[in-house]
Amino acid sequence: MIIAHRGVSFDIPENSLPAFDASWAHGVDGIEGDFHLTKDGIIVCIHDEDTERVCNIKKVVRHSTLKDLKQLELQYNGDKNLNLQIPTLDEVLQTIPNGRKIYIEIKCGLEIISPLLNQLSESSLNKDDVVIISFDAPVIKALKESKPEYKSLLLYSCEDNRNIDELIDDALKINANGISTDNESSQLLVDKILSSGLEYHSWTIDDPEVARKLIQWGSSSITTNDPKSLIQKI
């Protein structure tokens, strides 16, 4: 599966509705977005804990209401007629065509689990269309304890240089369905994860040759910043 990282984030502001719409137009299997909880309990799609990088005005998401955040505009030098507000989870879910997927990366803490699961249960999405991902093991653990039917992946950066056997043990203990990493060169890492019974997923891969290699090794999905190019070349 080819998953658009924060939408078509090479060309359009990341985590925006236009970026996600463009992803579907390119024929991706799914989108990946980052989510935080606002002061008034609304789930919004933004990577950082504050708005400074993407809006050039700093508001801390957890200390801001949805109304506060909707007054800002994502920075973009292109078409100013695009909807460049920070979207809510509900707005992002409404873009998803039937049979396509969303990878929901939780960027805050345990406080988002209950409202997230409530919102997903009220949506029209099939449970198989949702994948929850996080670097935070307690978040994945809490999610699986509440709703084990949702697929979840523990994120891991190879820069952390962890013992892979310990990483696999941690993923199994929290009942994660798989591990998603930025590994581009170690087939051994992929083999170990797959032999443990866990799924293996890849991020953020923009080189078609690397993507083809990872798919051959057994990666279930490739998350990319440039889905159009990757789809054309692999």
Side-chain angles (χ1 to χ4, degrees):
M1 295 183 295
I2 301 300
I3 309 300
H5 183 237
R6 309 180 196 172
V8 183
S9 50
F10 267 3
D11 303 323
I12 303 172
E14 65 180 50
N15 286 319
S16 67
L17 295 180
F20 293 131
D21 287 336
S23 302
W24 304 124
H26 292 324
V28 299
D29 299 290
I31 56 173
E32 182 269 352
D34 307 290
F35 294 90
H36 285 268
L37 195 66
T38 67
K39 180 180 179 181
D40 50 346
I42 306 299
I43 301 172
V44 291
C45 190
I46 183 173
H47 180 274
D48 302 349
E49 65 180 21
D50 65 64
T51 63
E52 185 171 21
R53 178 175 62 87
V54 294
C55 296
N56 207 30
I57 297 174
K58 184 172 181 177
K59 288 185 179 292
V60 178
V61 176
R62 69 179 181 275
H63 296 156
S64 304
T65 64
L66 179 62
K67 183 178 179 181
D68 294 333
L69 299 177
K70 285 293 188 181
Q71 293 174 349
L72 305 180
E73 187 171 285
L74 299 169
Q75 295 297 296
Y76 184 47
N77 293 325
D79 184 358
K80 295 301 183 181
N81 293 317
L82 295 177
N83 180 355
L84 294 175
Q85 292 181 322
I86 296 169
T88 64
L89 172 61
D90 183 60
E91 289 171 328
V92 175
L93 296 181
Q94 290 180 36
T95 75
I96 303 174
N98 289 337
R100 305 295 177 89
K101 296 182 182 293
I102 181 169
Y103 283 45
I104 296 174
E105 181 172 352
I106 295 176
K107 301 299 290 186
C108 50
L110 296 171
E111 67 277 4
I112 200 174
I113 297 293
S114 180
L116 173 61
L117 293 176
N118 288 338
Q119 193 161 347
L120 289 175
S121 68
E122 294 171 358
S123 77
S124 60
L125 285 182
N126 186 298
K127 66 178 178 60
D128 295 328
D129 298 331
V130 176
V131 181
I132 311 295
I133 60 178
S134 178
F135 284 96
D136 191 345
V139 165
I140 298 296
K141 182 175 185 290
L143 171 84
K144 296 301 283 186
E145 288 174 348
S146 297
K147 288 288 183 178
E149 61 266 33
Y150 283 116
K151 180 176 287 189
S152 67
L153 306 174
L154 182 62
L155 296 174
Y156 165 66
S157 172
C158 292
E159 290 183 356
D160 293 343
N161 200 29
R162 284 193 61 188
N163 179 286
I164 187 59
D165 294 320
E166 291 179 359
L167 174 67
I168 290 170
D169 286 344
D170 286 347
L172 291 171
K173 285 176 184 176
I174 61 175
N175 293 317
N177 298 95
I179 294 173
S180 181
T181 85
D182 56 349
N183 163 55
E184 296 187 9
S185 59
S186 173
Q187 185 175 0
L188 176 62
L189 184 148
V190 180
D191 289 344
K192 279 194 169 189
I193 290 173
L194 292 177
S195 65
S196 74
L198 294 167
E199 294 182 8
Y200 183 85
H201 296 253
S202 301
W203 59 269
T204 303
I205 308 299
D206 299 327
D207 185 327
E209 289 188 15
V210 174
R212 281 192 292 267
K213 180 173 61 177
L214 288 163
I215 291 168
Q216 184 178 20
W217 290 348
S219 187
S220 293
S221 72
I222 304 290
T223 296
T224 178
N225 291 310
D226 192 11
K228 180 181 179 180
S229 178
L230 215 61
I231 288 171
Q232 291 173 345
K233 294 178 181 177
I234 62 171

mmCIF file of all heavy atoms in Angstrom, residues 121-167:
data_model
loop_
_atom_site.group_PDB
_atom_site.id
_atom_site.type_symbol
_atom_site.label_atom_id
_atom_site.label_comp_id
_atom_site.label_asym_id
_atom_site.label_seq_id
_atom_site.Cartn_x
_atom_site.Cartn_y
_atom_site.Cartn_z
ATOM 1 N N SER A 121 -16.114 5.631 16.107
ATOM 2 C CA SER A 121 -17.299 4.777 16.171
ATOM 3 C C SER A 121 -18.511 5.441 15.536
ATOM 4 O O SER A 121 -19.420 4.750 15.050
ATOM 5 C CB SER A 121 -17.614 4.416 17.631
ATOM 6 O OG SER A 121 -18.051 5.555 18.357
ATOM 7 N N GLU A 122 -18.523 6.773 15.527
ATOM 8 C CA GLU A 122 -19.637 7.510 14.934
ATOM 9 C C GLU A 122 -19.436 7.785 13.450
ATOM 10 O O GLU A 122 -20.352 8.244 12.764
ATOM 11 C CB GLU A 122 -19.831 8.834 15.675
ATOM 12 C CG GLU A 122 -20.272 8.655 17.130
ATOM 13 C CD GLU A 122 -20.250 9.956 17.909
ATOM 14 O OE1 GLU A 122 -19.853 10.994 17.321
ATOM 15 O OE2 GLU A 122 -20.606 9.936 19.104
ATOM 16 N N SER A 123 -18.243 7.497 12.940
ATOM 17 C CA SER A 123 -17.952 7.761 11.535
ATOM 18 C C SER A 123 -18.459 6.611 10.673
ATOM 19 O O SER A 123 -18.848 5.548 11.169
ATOM 20 C CB SER A 123 -16.450 7.955 11.322
ATOM 21 O OG SER A 123 -15.784 6.706 11.341
ATOM 22 N N SER A 124 -18.427 6.811 9.361
ATOM 23 C CA SER A 124 -18.868 5.778 8.431
ATOM 24 C C SER A 124 -17.743 4.833 8.031
ATOM 25 O O SER A 124 -17.951 3.909 7.237
ATOM 26 C CB SER A 124 -19.443 6.432 7.165
ATOM 27 O OG SER A 124 -18.462 7.240 6.529
ATOM 28 N N LEU A 125 -16.553 5.033 8.589
ATOM 29 C CA LEU A 125 -15.415 4.198 8.235
ATOM 30 C C LEU A 125 -15.548 2.796 8.801
ATOM 31 O O LEU A 125 -15.986 2.602 9.938
ATOM 32 C CB LEU A 125 -14.114 4.812 8.763
ATOM 33 C CG LEU A 125 -13.544 6.025 8.039
ATOM 34 C CD1 LEU A 125 -12.241 6.433 8.701
ATOM 35 C CD2 LEU A 125 -13.309 5.747 6.568
ATOM 36 N N ASN A 126 -15.133 1.818 8.005
ATOM 37 C CA ASN A 126 -14.982 0.454 8.480
ATOM 38 C C ASN A 126 -13.757 0.390 9.385
ATOM 39 O O ASN A 126 -12.767 1.089 9.145
ATOM 40 C CB ASN A 126 -14.816 -0.469 7.270
ATOM 41 C CG ASN A 126 -14.784 -1.926 7.639
ATOM 42 O OD1 ASN A 126 -13.904 -2.384 8.360
ATOM 43 N ND2 ASN A 126 -15.748 -2.669 7.134
ATOM 44 N N LYS A 127 -13.788 -0.435 10.410
ATOM 45 C CA LYS A 127 -12.632 -0.531 11.318
ATOM 46 C C LYS A 127 -11.355 -0.938 10.585
ATOM 47 O O LYS A 127 -10.253 -0.569 10.996
ATOM 48 C CB LYS A 127 -12.918 -1.507 12.457
ATOM 49 C CG LYS A 127 -13.090 -2.947 12.042
ATOM 50 C CD LYS A 127 -13.319 -3.851 13.238
ATOM 51 C CE LYS A 127 -13.545 -5.295 12.800
ATOM 52 N NZ LYS A 127 -12.417 -5.859 12.055
ATOM 53 N N ASP A 128 -11.491 -1.671 9.484
ATOM 54 C CA ASP A 128 -10.313 -2.098 8.728
ATOM 55 C C ASP A 128 -9.688 -0.954 7.930
ATOM 56 O O ASP A 128 -8.591 -1.116 7.386
ATOM 57 C CB ASP A 128 -10.689 -3.235 7.775
ATOM 58 C CG ASP A 128 -11.109 -4.499 8.516
ATOM 59 O OD1 ASP A 128 -10.575 -4.731 9.615
ATOM 60 O OD2 ASP A 128 -11.968 -5.235 8.005
ATOM 61 N N ASP A 129 -10.380 0.166 7.849
ATOM 62 C CA ASP A 129 -9.861 1.319 7.117
ATOM 63 C C ASP A 129 -9.047 2.254 8.008
ATOM 64 O O ASP A 129 -8.535 3.270 7.539
ATOM 65 C CB ASP A 129 -11.004 2.111 6.474
ATOM 66 C CG ASP A 129 -11.772 1.285 5.456
ATOM 67 O OD1 ASP A 129 -11.154 0.389 4.851
ATOM 68 O OD2 ASP A 129 -12.977 1.527 5.275
ATOM 69 N N VAL A 130 -8.941 1.921 9.293
ATOM 70 C CA VAL A 130 -8.264 2.787 10.270
ATOM 71 C C VAL A 130 -7.034 2.081 10.830
ATOM 72 O O VAL A 130 -7.109 0.923 11.254
ATOM 73 C CB VAL A 130 -9.217 3.158 11.427
ATOM 74 C CG1 VAL A 130 -8.479 3.975 12.485
ATOM 75 C CG2 VAL A 130 -10.431 3.905 10.904
ATOM 76 N N VAL A 131 -5.907 2.784 10.824
ATOM 77 C CA VAL A 131 -4.679 2.296 11.453
ATOM 78 C C VAL A 131 -4.201 3.390 12.404
ATOM 79 O O VAL A 131 -4.023 4.540 11.993
ATOM 80 C CB VAL A 131 -3.588 1.978 10.417
ATOM 81 C CG1 VAL A 131 -2.332 1.452 11.112
ATOM 82 C CG2 VAL A 131 -4.092 0.968 9.387
ATOM 83 N N ILE A 132 -4.013 3.040 13.670
ATOM 84 C CA ILE A 132 -3.531 4.003 14.667
ATOM 85 C C ILE A 132 -2.035 3.794 14.849
ATOM 86 O O ILE A 132 -1.577 2.662 15.042
ATOM 87 C CB ILE A 132 -4.243 3.816 16.021
ATOM 88 C CG1 ILE A 132 -5.762 3.739 15.847
ATOM 89 C CG2 ILE A 132 -3.846 4.936 16.976
ATOM 90 C CD1 ILE A 132 -6.403 4.981 15.341
ATOM 91 N N ILE A 133 -1.271 4.881 14.781
ATOM 92 C CA ILE A 133 0.182 4.774 14.922
ATOM 93 C C ILE A 133 0.680 5.779 15.959
ATOM 94 O O ILE A 133 0.115 6.866 16.117
ATOM 95 C CB ILE A 133 0.914 4.982 13.578
ATOM 96 C CG1 ILE A 133 0.629 6.369 12.994
ATOM 97 C CG2 ILE A 133 0.496 3.904 12.579
ATOM 98 C CD1 ILE A 133 1.375 6.652 11.682
ATOM 99 N N SER A 134 1.744 5.395 16.669
ATOM 100 C CA SER A 134 2.313 6.295 17.678
ATOM 101 C C SER A 134 3.698 5.813 18.084
ATOM 102 O O SER A 134 3.977 4.606 18.078
ATOM 103 C CB SER A 134 1.412 6.343 18.918
ATOM 104 O OG SER A 134 1.972 7.180 19.919
ATOM 105 N N PHE A 135 4.566 6.768 18.421
ATOM 106 C CA PHE A 135 5.863 6.444 19.012
ATOM 107 C C PHE A 135 5.711 6.089 20.497
ATOM 108 O O PHE A 135 6.643 5.578 21.105
ATOM 109 C CB PHE A 135 6.813 7.644 18.896
ATOM 110 C CG PHE A 135 7.376 7.850 17.524
ATOM 111 C CD1 PHE A 135 6.794 8.751 16.651
ATOM 112 C CD2 PHE A 135 8.498 7.148 17.103
ATOM 113 C CE1 PHE A 135 7.325 8.965 15.380
ATOM 114 C CE2 PHE A 135 9.031 7.347 15.838
ATOM 115 C CZ PHE A 135 8.442 8.244 14.963
ATOM 116 N N ASP A 136 4.559 6.399 21.068
ATOM 117 C CA ASP A 136 4.315 6.281 22.507
ATOM 118 C C ASP A 136 3.662 4.931 22.814
ATOM 119 O O ASP A 136 2.476 4.726 22.546
ATOM 120 C CB ASP A 136 3.419 7.437 22.942
ATOM 121 C CG ASP A 136 3.309 7.569 24.450
ATOM 122 O OD1 ASP A 136 3.681 6.620 25.159
ATOM 123 O OD2 ASP A 136 2.842 8.622 24.922
ATOM 124 N N ALA A 137 4.425 4.006 23.380
ATOM 125 C CA ALA A 137 3.904 2.669 23.671
ATOM 126 C C ALA A 137 2.676 2.685 24.578
ATOM 127 O O ALA A 137 1.722 1.934 24.330
ATOM 128 C CB ALA A 137 5.014 1.798 24.268
ATOM 129 N N PRO A 138 2.634 3.516 25.641
ATOM 130 C CA PRO A 138 1.435 3.542 26.477
ATOM 131 C C PRO A 138 0.167 3.951 25.715
ATOM 132 O O PRO A 138 -0.933 3.494 26.051
ATOM 133 C CB PRO A 138 1.776 4.567 27.570
ATOM 134 C CG PRO A 138 3.267 4.503 27.673
ATOM 135 C CD PRO A 138 3.737 4.289 26.274
ATOM 136 N N VAL A 139 0.312 4.799 24.696
ATOM 137 C CA VAL A 139 -0.841 5.182 23.881
ATOM 138 C C VAL A 139 -1.372 3.979 23.116
ATOM 139 O O VAL A 139 -2.584 3.722 23.087
ATOM 140 C CB VAL A 139 -0.461 6.332 22.916
ATOM 141 C CG1 VAL A 139 -1.517 6.492 21.822
ATOM 142 C CG2 VAL A 139 -0.316 7.638 23.683
ATOM 143 N N ILE A 140 -0.477 3.224 22.483
ATOM 144 C CA ILE A 140 -0.893 2.027 21.756
ATOM 145 C C ILE A 140 -1.496 1.004 22.711
ATOM 146 O O ILE A 140 -2.524 0.373 22.414
ATOM 147 C CB ILE A 140 0.291 1.411 20.987
ATOM 148 C CG1 ILE A 140 0.821 2.387 19.933
ATOM 149 C CG2 ILE A 140 -0.110 0.088 20.355
ATOM 150 C CD1 ILE A 140 -0.160 2.726 18.833
ATOM 151 N N LYS A 141 -0.900 0.832 23.869
ATOM 152 C CA LYS A 141 -1.395 -0.111 24.873
ATOM 153 C C LYS A 141 -2.822 0.240 25.284
ATOM 154 O O LYS A 141 -3.713 -0.621 25.333
ATOM 155 C CB LYS A 141 -0.477 -0.120 26.088
ATOM 156 C CG LYS A 141 -0.866 -1.109 27.182
ATOM 157 C CD LYS A 141 0.198 -1.115 28.284
ATOM 158 C CE LYS A 141 -0.095 -2.176 29.336
ATOM 159 N NZ LYS A 141 -1.274 -1.833 30.169
ATOM 160 N N ALA A 142 -3.053 1.530 25.576
ATOM 161 C CA ALA A 142 -4.385 1.970 26.000
ATOM 162 C C ALA A 142 -5.404 1.786 24.882
ATOM 163 O O ALA A 142 -6.553 1.383 25.125
ATOM 164 C CB ALA A 142 -4.337 3.429 26.437
ATOM 165 N N LEU A 143 -4.997 2.076 23.664
ATOM 166 C CA LEU A 143 -5.894 1.909 22.527
ATOM 167 C C LEU A 143 -6.307 0.449 22.378
ATOM 168 O O LEU A 143 -7.493 0.134 22.221
ATOM 169 C CB LEU A 143 -5.208 2.385 21.257
ATOM 170 C CG LEU A 143 -5.982 2.064 19.982
ATOM 171 C CD1 LEU A 143 -7.026 3.122 19.721
ATOM 172 C CD2 LEU A 143 -5.088 1.863 18.800
ATOM 173 N N LYS A 144 -5.335 -0.465 22.428
ATOM 174 C CA LYS A 144 -5.630 -1.886 22.233
ATOM 175 C C LYS A 144 -6.465 -2.455 23.377
ATOM 176 O O LYS A 144 -7.252 -3.378 23.180
ATOM 177 C CB LYS A 144 -4.335 -2.674 22.067
ATOM 178 C CG LYS A 144 -3.534 -2.307 20.833
ATOM 179 C CD LYS A 144 -4.328 -2.521 19.545
ATOM 180 C CE LYS A 144 -4.415 -3.969 19.146
ATOM 181 N NZ LYS A 144 -5.061 -4.138 17.823
ATOM 182 N N GLU A 145 -6.277 -1.915 24.574
ATOM 183 C CA GLU A 145 -7.094 -2.360 25.706
ATOM 184 C C GLU A 145 -8.542 -1.919 25.550
ATOM 185 O O GLU A 145 -9.472 -2.633 25.940
ATOM 186 C CB GLU A 145 -6.512 -1.826 27.015
ATOM 187 C CG GLU A 145 -5.217 -2.503 27.432
ATOM 188 C CD GLU A 145 -4.577 -1.876 28.653
ATOM 189 O OE1 GLU A 145 -5.018 -0.755 29.041
ATOM 190 O OE2 GLU A 145 -3.649 -2.478 29.215
ATOM 191 N N SER A 146 -8.749 -0.736 24.956
ATOM 192 C CA SER A 146 -10.102 -0.211 24.781
ATOM 193 C C SER A 146 -10.788 -0.788 23.552
ATOM 194 O O SER A 146 -11.957 -1.183 23.597
ATOM 195 C CB SER A 146 -10.063 1.315 24.673
ATOM 196 O OG SER A 146 -9.578 1.904 25.852
ATOM 197 N N LYS A 147 -10.066 -0.803 22.431
ATOM 198 C CA LYS A 147 -10.647 -1.255 21.156
ATOM 199 C C LYS A 147 -9.626 -2.105 20.404
ATOM 200 O O LYS A 147 -8.972 -1.643 19.466
ATOM 201 C CB LYS A 147 -11.057 -0.056 20.301
ATOM 202 C CG LYS A 147 -12.279 0.698 20.799
ATOM 203 C CD LYS A 147 -13.554 -0.119 20.575
ATOM 204 C CE LYS A 147 -14.787 0.673 21.005
ATOM 205 N NZ LYS A 147 -16.032 -0.099 20.756
ATOM 206 N N PRO A 148 -9.483 -3.367 20.787
ATOM 207 C CA PRO A 148 -8.454 -4.205 20.155
ATOM 208 C C PRO A 148 -8.685 -4.447 18.665
ATOM 209 O O PRO A 148 -7.760 -4.854 17.957
ATOM 210 C CB PRO A 148 -8.544 -5.526 20.941
ATOM 211 C CG PRO A 148 -9.892 -5.518 21.578
ATOM 212 C CD PRO A 148 -10.206 -4.077 21.843
ATOM 213 N N GLU A 149 -9.903 -4.174 18.188
ATOM 214 C CA GLU A 149 -10.189 -4.410 16.770
ATOM 215 C C GLU A 149 -9.517 -3.422 15.831
ATOM 216 O O GLU A 149 -9.402 -3.666 14.627
ATOM 217 C CB GLU A 149 -11.701 -4.402 16.510
ATOM 218 C CG GLU A 149 -12.407 -3.115 16.843
ATOM 219 C CD GLU A 149 -12.997 -3.091 18.245
ATOM 220 O OE1 GLU A 149 -12.395 -3.710 19.154
ATOM 221 O OE2 GLU A 149 -14.043 -2.445 18.442
ATOM 222 N N TYR A 150 -9.060 -2.281 16.369
ATOM 223 C CA TYR A 150 -8.360 -1.321 15.516
ATOM 224 C C TYR A 150 -6.890 -1.712 15.380
ATOM 225 O O TYR A 150 -6.212 -1.959 16.371
ATOM 226 C CB TYR A 150 -8.456 0.089 16.087
ATOM 227 C CG TYR A 150 -9.789 0.755 15.860
ATOM 228 C CD1 TYR A 150 -10.604 1.106 16.931
ATOM 229 C CD2 TYR A 150 -10.239 1.024 14.572
ATOM 230 C CE1 TYR A 150 -11.842 1.712 16.729
ATOM 231 C CE2 TYR A 150 -11.471 1.625 14.362
ATOM 232 C CZ TYR A 150 -12.265 1.964 15.440
ATOM 233 O OH TYR A 150 -13.487 2.554 15.228
ATOM 234 N N LYS A 151 -6.418 -1.757 14.131
ATOM 235 C CA LYS A 151 -5.009 -2.059 13.901
ATOM 236 C C LYS A 151 -4.151 -0.917 14.442
ATOM 237 O O LYS A 151 -4.477 0.253 14.266
ATOM 238 C CB LYS A 151 -4.730 -2.255 12.409
ATOM 239 C CG LYS A 151 -3.273 -2.585 12.097
ATOM 240 C CD LYS A 151 -3.062 -2.871 10.624
ATOM 241 C CE LYS A 151 -3.646 -4.220 10.268
ATOM 242 N NZ LYS A 151 -3.277 -4.643 8.889
ATOM 243 N N SER A 152 -3.054 -1.287 15.104
ATOM 244 C CA SER A 152 -2.155 -0.272 15.650
ATOM 245 C C SER A 152 -0.714 -0.648 15.366
ATOM 246 O O SER A 152 -0.350 -1.830 15.370
ATOM 247 C CB SER A 152 -2.356 -0.107 17.159
ATOM 248 O OG SER A 152 -1.949 -1.283 17.834
ATOM 249 N N LEU A 153 0.103 0.371 15.112
ATOM 250 C CA LEU A 153 1.514 0.178 14.827
ATOM 251 C C LEU A 153 2.353 1.023 15.773
ATOM 252 O O LEU A 153 2.060 2.201 15.990
ATOM 253 C CB LEU A 153 1.838 0.582 13.384
ATOM 254 C CG LEU A 153 1.003 -0.063 12.269
ATOM 255 C CD1 LEU A 153 1.371 0.561 10.924
ATOM 256 C CD2 LEU A 153 1.184 -1.570 12.241
ATOM 257 N N LEU A 154 3.390 0.419 16.324
ATOM 258 C CA LEU A 154 4.351 1.159 17.135
ATOM 259 C C LEU A 154 5.401 1.753 16.206
ATOM 260 O O LEU A 154 6.034 1.030 15.430
ATOM 261 C CB LEU A 154 5.016 0.228 18.154
ATOM 262 C CG LEU A 154 6.023 0.870 19.103
ATOM 263 C CD1 LEU A 154 5.370 1.924 19.984
ATOM 264 C CD2 LEU A 154 6.706 -0.205 19.964
ATOM 265 N N LEU A 155 5.562 3.065 16.256
ATOM 266 C CA LEU A 155 6.552 3.741 15.421
ATOM 267 C C LEU A 155 7.931 3.672 16.073
ATOM 268 O O LEU A 155 8.060 3.767 17.296
ATOM 269 C CB LEU A 155 6.159 5.206 15.210
ATOM 270 C CG LEU A 155 4.858 5.454 14.438
ATOM 271 C CD1 LEU A 155 4.527 6.937 14.440
ATOM 272 C CD2 LEU A 155 4.956 4.931 13.014
ATOM 273 N N TYR A 156 8.936 3.530 15.214
ATOM 274 C CA TYR A 156 10.307 3.441 15.708
ATOM 275 C C TYR A 156 11.255 4.118 14.728
ATOM 276 O O TYR A 156 11.224 3.831 13.526
ATOM 277 C CB TYR A 156 10.708 1.977 15.890
ATOM 278 C CG TYR A 156 12.195 1.752 16.059
ATOM 279 C CD1 TYR A 156 12.862 2.231 17.181
ATOM 280 C CD2 TYR A 156 12.924 1.064 15.094
ATOM 281 C CE1 TYR A 156 14.226 2.037 17.330
ATOM 282 C CE2 TYR A 156 14.294 0.854 15.235
ATOM 283 C CZ TYR A 156 14.938 1.343 16.361
ATOM 284 O OH TYR A 156 16.292 1.153 16.517
ATOM 285 N N SER A 157 12.088 5.025 15.231
ATOM 286 C CA SER A 157 13.115 5.666 14.416
ATOM 287 C C SER A 157 14.437 4.936 14.605
ATOM 288 O O SER A 157 14.882 4.726 15.745
ATOM 289 C CB SER A 157 13.279 7.132 14.809
ATOM 290 O OG SER A 157 14.393 7.687 14.151
ATOM 291 N N CYS A 158 15.060 4.565 13.497
ATOM 292 C CA CYS A 158 16.331 3.844 13.578
ATOM 293 C C CYS A 158 17.430 4.684 14.214
ATOM 294 O O CYS A 158 18.447 4.141 14.667
ATOM 295 C CB CYS A 158 16.751 3.381 12.178
ATOM 296 S SG CYS A 158 15.675 2.096 11.503
ATOM 297 N N GLU A 159 17.255 6.007 14.259
ATOM 298 C CA GLU A 159 18.219 6.868 14.943
ATOM 299 C C GLU A 159 18.324 6.533 16.433
ATOM 300 O O GLU A 159 19.330 6.805 17.068
ATOM 301 C CB GLU A 159 17.832 8.342 14.776
ATOM 302 C CG GLU A 159 18.017 8.879 13.371
ATOM 303 C CD GLU A 159 17.697 10.357 13.288
ATOM 304 O OE1 GLU A 159 17.259 10.930 14.312
ATOM 305 O OE2 GLU A 159 17.896 10.943 12.209
ATOM 306 N N ASP A 160 17.251 5.942 16.988
ATOM 307 C CA ASP A 160 17.255 5.596 18.408
ATOM 308 C C ASP A 160 18.195 4.430 18.711
ATOM 309 O O ASP A 160 18.575 4.217 19.868
ATOM 310 C CB ASP A 160 15.845 5.250 18.876
ATOM 311 C CG ASP A 160 14.920 6.444 18.853
ATOM 312 O OD1 ASP A 160 15.424 7.583 18.791
ATOM 313 O OD2 ASP A 160 13.689 6.252 18.881
ATOM 314 N N ASN A 161 18.515 3.644 17.667
ATOM 315 C CA ASN A 161 19.506 2.563 17.790
ATOM 316 C C ASN A 161 19.175 1.603 18.930
ATOM 317 O O ASN A 161 20.056 1.181 19.685
ATOM 318 C CB ASN A 161 20.908 3.158 17.981
ATOM 319 C CG ASN A 161 22.006 2.165 17.636
ATOM 320 O OD1 ASN A 161 21.813 1.301 16.803
ATOM 321 N ND2 ASN A 161 23.156 2.301 18.295
ATOM 322 N N ARG A 162 17.909 1.239 19.029
ATOM 323 C CA ARG A 162 17.476 0.304 20.076
ATOM 324 C C ARG A 162 17.804 -1.133 19.695
ATOM 325 O O ARG A 162 17.925 -1.482 18.518
ATOM 326 C CB ARG A 162 15.970 0.408 20.292
ATOM 327 C CG ARG A 162 15.517 1.616 21.060
ATOM 328 C CD ARG A 162 14.074 1.446 21.485
ATOM 329 N NE ARG A 162 13.892 0.283 22.349
ATOM 330 C CZ ARG A 162 12.704 -0.171 22.739
ATOM 331 N NH1 ARG A 162 11.595 0.413 22.322
ATOM 332 N NH2 ARG A 162 12.625 -1.214 23.519
ATOM 333 N N ASN A 163 17.899 -1.975 20.684
ATOM 334 C CA ASN A 163 18.016 -3.412 20.442
ATOM 335 C C ASN A 163 16.707 -3.891 19.817
ATOM 336 O O ASN A 163 15.636 -3.708 20.392
ATOM 337 C CB ASN A 163 18.282 -4.140 21.761
ATOM 338 C CG ASN A 163 18.387 -5.639 21.579
ATOM 339 O OD1 ASN A 163 17.381 -6.320 21.376
ATOM 340 N ND2 ASN A 163 19.603 -6.152 21.665
ATOM 341 N N ILE A 164 16.792 -4.488 18.646
ATOM 342 C CA ILE A 164 15.589 -4.821 17.911
ATOM 343 C C ILE A 164 14.754 -5.878 18.622
ATOM 344 O O ILE A 164 13.519 -5.855 18.578
ATOM 345 C CB ILE A 164 15.925 -5.267 16.464
ATOM 346 C CG1 ILE A 164 14.642 -5.451 15.647
ATOM 347 C CG2 ILE A 164 16.758 -6.518 16.454
ATOM 348 C CD1 ILE A 164 13.788 -4.216 15.527
ATOM 349 N N ASP A 165 15.407 -6.806 19.318
ATOM 350 C CA ASP A 165 14.655 -7.834 20.043
ATOM 351 C C ASP A 165 13.840 -7.214 21.178
ATOM 352 O O ASP A 165 12.703 -7.625 21.438
ATOM 353 C CB ASP A 165 15.602 -8.907 20.592
ATOM 354 C CG ASP A 165 16.272 -9.708 19.484
ATOM 355 O OD1 ASP A 165 15.576 -10.028 18.498
ATOM 356 O OD2 ASP A 165 17.476 -9.996 19.597
ATOM 357 N N GLU A 166 14.423 -6.223 21.844
ATOM 358 C CA GLU A 166 13.688 -5.526 22.907
ATOM 359 C C GLU A 166 12.520 -4.734 22.326
ATOM 360 O O GLU A 166 11.437 -4.682 22.921
ATOM 361 C CB GLU A 166 14.629 -4.598 23.672
ATOM 362 C CG GLU A 166 15.673 -5.324 24.506
ATOM 363 C CD GLU A 166 16.595 -4.356 25.233
ATOM 364 O OE1 GLU A 166 16.425 -3.122 25.061
ATOM 365 O OE2 GLU A 166 17.485 -4.838 25.973
ATOM 366 N N LEU A 167 12.743 -4.117 21.170
ATOM 367 C CA LEU A 167 11.672 -3.373 20.506
ATOM 368 C C LEU A 167 10.519 -4.303 20.147
ATOM 369 O O LEU A 167 9.343 -3.981 20.387
ATOM 370 C CB LEU A 167 12.213 -2.702 19.238
ATOM 371 C CG LEU A 167 11.181 -2.006 18.345
ATOM 372 C CD1 LEU A 167 10.591 -0.793 19.053
ATOM 373 C CD2 LEU A 167 11.820 -1.592 17.022
#
